[in-house]
Amino acid sequence: MAGSSYDIAAATLRELDRDRYLSTLVLPADKRPHVTAILAFGADIAAIRERVSGPQPGEIRLQWWNDALSGEGHGEVRQNPLADALLDTLERYALPAGTLLRLLGARRFDLYDDPMPDLESFEGYAGETASTLFQLSAMILNEGNPVEPGDAAGHLGVAQAMIGHLRALGYVSAQGRIMLPWSILEANGVRETELFRGQDSEGLQSALGQIAELADAHLKKARTAIAQLPVRLRPAFAARALLEKQLPGWRQHAANPFTPPADDPDWRKIARLTMWTWRNR
């Protein structure tokens, strides 16, 4: 079943997370299906809140995946194509399932409406979600061996999460959620009700600018860390090419923080990813 399962994993990733899917196109052909399986799992978990009616069914879905990764699931686990591709990849490269179990634990936060309390909590959340996906992708390119230090994955994952939530501020706020560090927003005089109503203010502009600066700092640190990695591992971090375009794009659009900034068409993203990969060979 594994062959068709990988095809379904690719289709899932293409549907749920277009940028991550495009980033896989520059990977070595023999590694691409396995990285895709990891990323598709991450995208599927990230989308759970959108698919369920409330926290309880979301918790049930997370528990299903927890059992599957822990080996406690029933025989039908492998009948799920995404689980089949994921488990096959974990076995093939002897990847640590515990890393993905921590990702599941971090994603429980998504099911509820509690605000992200502070920068430390945000960076921890991003580390267990976005950074984990980069680290496992690099391990696959490294034949399953650890990639140390994990600075490239750590910094790029936090930058990706920050930029993503800056761009999605209007959508997330309309759901009554605060995913950016509340301590930074609150320190600038931002009120929850203003966010939920989509009300701009000088305080909000200041807070978002500070978060954008933090994202930029993580991007720069990621750039340095990626340059120190063996060439064969760098394609795992090709998403940096997209983020370095999206952050200045958000800044140009920052006067309208609740409306999503324009995004490049796929062909431009593919060209950017390809050029970045060639430059980092």
Side-chain angles (χ1 to χ4, degrees):
M1 186 178 177
S4 61
S5 295
Y6 282 108
D7 292 338
I8 292 172
T12 298
L13 183 60
R14 185 170 60 244
E15 175 190 353
L16 296 179
D17 194 328
R18 193 76 173 180
D19 282 1
R20 280 192 171 98
Y21 170 76
L22 295 176
S23 297
T24 66
L25 301 181
V26 298
L27 295 173
D30 62 324
K31 302 295 194 301
R32 187 182 306 141
H34 306 292
V35 172
T36 297
I38 295 289
L39 299 182
F41 163 77
D44 185 77
I45 299 305
I48 285 178
R49 180 184 170 112
E50 306 296 326
R51 295 172 167 176
V52 298
S53 58
Q56 188 59 37
E59 293 275 13
I60 292 171
R61 185 62 181 162
L62 289 177
Q63 187 60 49
W64 186 92
W65 276 109
N66 190 91
D67 292 346
L69 289 168
S70 301
E72 298 175 7
H74 300 293
E76 70 270 12
V77 166
R78 288 281 192 159
Q79 298 303 310
N80 179 310
L82 188 53
D84 184 51
L86 178 66
L87 294 174
D88 184 68
T89 293
L90 294 180
E91 293 166 3
R92 186 181 300 249
Y93 291 97
L95 299 177
T99 304
L100 295 181
L101 291 172
R102 290 193 294 275
L103 182 151
L104 292 175
R107 284 293 184 187
R108 289 188 69 248
F109 183 84
D110 298 356
L111 303 179
Y112 300 90
D113 293 337
D114 299 326
M116 182 66 68
D118 49 40
L119 179 60
E120 182 180 3
S121 299
F122 183 93
E123 291 180 336
Y125 170 87
E128 298 289 8
T129 54
S131 297
T132 285
L133 298 177
F134 284 122
Q135 189 70 4
L136 291 175
S137 298
M139 287 179 67
I140 290 172
L141 268 57
N142 203 32
E143 302 298 339
N145 296 309
V147 177
E148 297 296 345
D151 294 354
H155 289 299
L156 193 59
V158 174
Q160 185 180 57
M162 283 184 171
I163 294 167
H165 281 293
L166 284 169
R167 290 167 55 84
L169 178 67
Y171 178 77
V172 174
S173 297
Q175 296 178 326
R177 304 170 65 206
I178 299 173
M179 290 298 295
L180 291 170
W182 174 241
S183 60
I184 296 177
L185 296 164
E186 187 177 37
N188 284 275
V190 179
R191 299 179 180 176
E192 287 188 359
T193 52
E194 294 173 348
L195 279 176
F196 299 157
R197 290 199 304 260
Q199 181 179 332
D200 198 5
S201 67
E202 290 185 9
L204 179 62
Q205 288 289 328
S206 178
L208 297 180
Q210 291 170 29
I211 294 169
E213 287 298 320
L214 290 168
D216 189 44
H218 280 290
L219 269 182
K220 289 175 180 175
K221 290 176 181 177
R223 184 186 307 128
T224 299
I226 293 168
Q228 295 172 351
L229 291 173
V231 171
R232 70 181 185 281
L233 305 186
R234 295 176 190 171
F237 305 97
R240 183 171 72 82
L242 304 183
L243 297 173
E244 290 193 335
K245 175 68 164 54
Q246 288 173 347
L247 182 56
W250 176 85
R251 281 177 162 146
Q252 293 173 3
H253 187 78
N256 301 294
F258 292 99
T259 57
D263 206 2
D264 284 340
D266 286 356
W267 69 267
R268 278 193 179 160
K269 291 182 178 182
I270 293 170
R272 185 174 292 275
L273 289 162
T274 302
M275 184 64 68
W276 184 90
T277 304
W278 275 97
R279 287 174 177 171
N280 284 273
R281 295 179 68 171

